[in-house]
Amino acid sequence: MIAHQELIDRVAAREEVADSEEARRAVHAVVASLSPRLAPEARRDLRRELPKSLWEDLDRGQAASARASGDLAQQVSEELHCPPEHGLRLARAVVSELALASPVLGQEMAESLPEDLADWSRDPVGAQERADTRTAEEPGENRGS
């Protein structure tokens, strides 16, 4: 089982997360937005892995398909009152930490998520490294200097 405070602490330690309060809010928002998008078996395992303190978040949303990560990012950003790009970064952070805490759950979530978020669930470390590499390469690309 994933401990609530441990999950918040792990998310808070990520570079894209400002502090533990933002991490707490992100965990609750992502769990509430993510769970209705999961296949029934992944949703059941998410419930089994999460502490009871997060079960209410699991039951808030209506079943929905995860057609695009933008849908999830938009829902998270609306709940947290932040730009969609930041909502996507927070969603990736929470999905990654859930997958790191429970690799079996990570694989099950990957089967229900859009491809870009599935990568963060299937291979959270590798996805982070690829994102870091792209970010490091972006400033000098296509500037025509």
Side-chain angles (χ1 to χ4, degrees):
M1 177 180 278
I2 301 168
H4 189 166
Q5 189 59 48
E6 181 180 336
L7 178 60
I8 290 170
D9 291 345
R10 290 175 61 155
V11 171
R14 301 197 45 128
E15 186 175 300
E16 59 269 35
V17 181
D19 55 27
S20 59
E21 177 56 25
E22 183 178 51
R24 183 193 63 73
R25 293 175 55 237
V27 165
H28 286 265
V30 172
V31 166
S33 300
L34 176 67
S35 64
R37 292 169 162 76
L38 297 176
E41 58 276 358
R43 186 178 163 104
R44 182 190 66 242
D45 288 342
L46 181 64
R47 179 181 284 275
R48 187 182 66 232
E49 289 291 333
L50 292 178
K52 289 181 182 180
S53 56
L54 287 169
W55 285 7
E56 180 179 306
D57 296 331
L58 289 172
D59 298 329
R60 281 195 308 184
Q62 298 292 343
S65 72
R67 292 183 297 268
S69 60
D71 297 341
L72 181 64
Q74 184 66 38
Q75 190 172 355
V76 169
S77 68
E78 287 173 5
E79 185 162 336
L80 298 179
H81 308 291
C82 67
E85 300 80 25
H86 191 60
L88 180 58
R89 287 191 297 271
L90 293 172
R92 286 177 176 164
V94 174
V95 166
S96 294
E97 291 303 334
L98 288 169
L100 287 168
S102 175
V104 171
L105 176 61
Q107 288 296 335
E108 290 178 350
M109 289 189 312
E111 294 171 10
S112 300
L113 294 172
E115 194 56 38
D116 56 341
L117 281 175
D119 284 345
W120 289 83
S121 183
R122 196 177 296 114
D123 181 18
V125 174
Q128 180 65 45
E129 288 171 358
R130 289 187 297 276
D132 290 345
T133 301
R134 280 193 303 268
T135 301
E137 293 171 355
E138 287 174 0
E141 289 181 350
N142 301 323
R143 289 208 172 172
S145 314

